[in-house]
Amino acid sequence: MAESSEINLSGKKALVTGASGGIGKHIAIALAKRGAQVVVHYGGNAEAAEEVQQEIEKQGGEAICVQADLTQADQIEKLYDDAEDAVGTLDIVINNAGVPGGSLLTDLDLETVDSLIDVNFRAVALSLQQAGKRLNDGGAIVNISSMLGTRPLPGTSVYSATKAAVDVLSKMAAREFGERQISVNSLSPGATLPGMFGRGTAEKQQAFADATPLKRLGKAEDIAEMAVFLVSEPGRWINGSVVTADGGYSV
């Protein structure tokens, strides 16, 4: 595998959803560090998104912030319109935005189910629809999934199901977009900080670290470097895959 520090994405235009914090923030920064011009999508936290943009610019990169409510189909289309207006036709899309939530099946409430499906699945499907129509030939798409999509834990039923669905979407999109040389993969993190797992207790975090062969939790930078590789030329032959990045937890 090529050193990710040597990867050159100069001239590439990238959209990262949910890039105002957590894993998305670090993916946006990592792409910009390799020369990509990055559209930093955010849902509601404009200040956090602007901080990501400023950090990228301080490092000599280029970024612009674009707001969209991914629960609204027309806003997903507008997100792509705004991104193209700002930077031109996209080469890279990282579908990172997601929401946590869940309970035991017997305790599910409809509001949580709808929220998880709307953001974690429906928004990804509609984003892929736009990306499939709009990306430059030879582009790359990475959908941020979760190890819970293949190894669900009690209390994560619907969340895990949405991430499993994202893995299937990635495989089908790879089939459908392949004629245009567009690669599509799922990147499936394990317990990672900062990220959704940061909402867990210190005891829960330590238990996951202890259960991982490397005896630590993942860092957002770990996932960002994998995303960079998957959209780069050295990573082009990986396509239609679910790439697990969990430090060996699932072994």
Side-chain angles (χ1 to χ4, degrees), residues 42-59:
Y42 67 97
N45 195 337
E47 183 177 353
E50 289 166 3
E51 289 175 359
V52 176
Q53 179 183 359
Q54 290 166 8
E55 186 168 346
I56 287 172
E57 292 173 345
K58 284 179 182 177
Q59 296 180 13

Side-chain angles (χ1 to χ4, degrees), residues 132-238:
K133 296 176 180 178
R134 297 175 184 245
L135 254 65
N136 282 319
D137 290 357
I141 301 169
V142 175
N143 300 315
I144 303 302
S145 179
S146 169
M147 71 172 188
L148 293 174
T150 54
R151 295 194 62 179
L153 297 172
T156 70
S157 55
V158 177
Y159 177 86
S160 298
T162 62
K163 293 302 184 177
V166 166
D167 292 342
V168 173
L169 285 174
S170 298
K171 294 176 182 180
M172 294 311 303
R175 286 280 186 185
E176 294 184 16
F177 303 165
E179 289 185 2
R180 293 181 50 217
Q181 300 300 302
I182 295 172
S183 67
V184 188
N185 292 289
S186 277
L187 178 52
S188 179
T192 303
L193 296 176
M196 292 182 186
F197 193 73
R199 302 167 188 262
T201 65
E203 292 78 11
K204 185 176 181 179
Q205 292 176 15
Q206 188 60 52
F208 271 88
D210 291 342
T212 302
L214 298 178
K215 301 303 178 186
R216 70 170 176 88
L217 298 178
K219 297 180 291 185
E221 293 89 343
D222 297 326
I223 310 306
E225 293 304 308
M226 288 299 302
V228 167
F229 178 73
L230 289 171
V231 303
S232 72
E233 195 58 36
R236 294 294 298 171
W237 197 236
I238 302 174

